[in-house]
Amino acid sequence: PLPSALPERTLQATLREVEAAIRALGIDFGPAKGDILVTRAGRPVILEMATRLSGDYFCTHTVPFHNETDIVSAALQQCVGDPVDLELLRPKRSRGVALRYVWPDGLPGRIRSIRGWNEAASLAGVHFITWEPHWLDRNVGIGSELTPPTSHRERAIAVMTSADTREAAVALADHVTRTVSIEIDSRATSPRELARSSS
């Protein structure tokens, strides 16, 4: 969720660590994306630093909903050699944003029912509830086979919410995940059917 729940001192230490990693790698053009852990003592540790934008809704949805910056447009301007409009990177507000993923219980199996989806999607502050691309590309619905995830890309459903505060956005996202119910008929799947549907 955004904004960060870490204290300002830890955030500044993390920023310094990120900047040091970028310099050490010689990254002097384009975006840099890092995965960072913070120890119990508040010390940031770099796990990964890559020369790309962050995926998984972060640059396209999470950050814009949080502070109205547009990292993607700024990166595109830089890539094609246009002057970067720094106004695109200037935060204009600070709202809470939460992203949650949902896996139905009882996998593998076939979808017996989907309840609460439209009700949850209509709530103020719910930006989207969607099947993840792995399943969306298969036109998933009632009767579709769902298998247990074997990688990050096989998540089932994504939910994104925003509110005035981080806590309110998280509470709303958690409410949505409780409201949306995907019932699975696990008895409908034999090992042979599972192997055939996954091939």
Side-chain angles (χ1 to χ4, degrees):
L2 287 176
S4 174
L6 294 172
E8 184 63 24
R9 180 175 61 183
T10 304
L11 291 176
Q12 292 303 317
T14 301
L15 181 59
R16 289 192 297 271
E17 198 71 17
V18 167
E19 290 176 343
I22 290 171
R23 291 194 194 95
L25 292 170
I27 301 171
D28 59 6
F29 182 86
K33 173 262 179 192
D35 287 342
I36 302 145
L37 287 178
V38 176
T39 68
R40 293 182 187 275
R43 185 174 70 86
V45 178
I46 304 290
L47 294 180
E48 173 194 74
M49 186 61 64
T51 54
R52 63 176 177 86
L53 292 175
S54 182
D56 200 27
Y57 304 107
F58 188 76
C59 293
T60 55
H61 294 76
T62 307
V63 171
F65 287 145
H66 166 56
N67 61 22
E68 292 187 2
T69 58
D70 188 348
I71 301 170
V72 175
S73 292
L76 288 172
Q77 287 177 341
Q78 186 181 38
C79 285
V80 300
D82 288 346
V84 176
D85 180 1
L86 296 181
E87 195 61 30
L88 293 170
L89 302 175
R90 187 166 289 114
K92 300 166 186 64
R93 66 179 185 182
S94 179
R95 284 178 59 78
V97 181
L99 176 63
R100 290 286 185 266
Y101 295 103
V102 178
W103 285 269
D105 293 328
L107 300 180
R110 297 190 186 279
I111 299 175
R112 178 171 25 185
S113 68
I114 302 174
R115 296 191 179 95
W117 189 295
N118 292 335
E119 173 192 344
S122 68
L123 295 172
V126 177
H127 291 292
F128 61 75
I129 306 172
T130 183
W131 290 99
E132 286 288 87
H134 176 80
W135 300 108
L136 198 59
D137 292 345
R138 290 160 172 76
N139 296 314
V140 67
I142 303 298
S144 296
E145 184 86 44
L146 289 185
T147 53
T150 59
S151 69
H152 198 52
R153 65 183 291 270
E154 293 177 14
R155 296 167 306 200
I157 297 167
V159 174
M160 180 166 285
T161 62
S162 70
D164 289 338
T165 65
R166 170 192 171 99
E167 293 75 18
V170 169
L172 178 57
D174 290 343
H175 172 72
V176 170
T177 62
R178 292 191 299 269
T179 300
V180 176
S181 172
I182 312 294
E183 289 189 58
I184 299 295
D185 185 357
S186 57
R187 294 170 300 177
T189 308
S190 69
R192 182 175 295 177
E193 288 175 328
L194 180 57
R196 187 164 55 244
S197 68
S198 300
S199 61

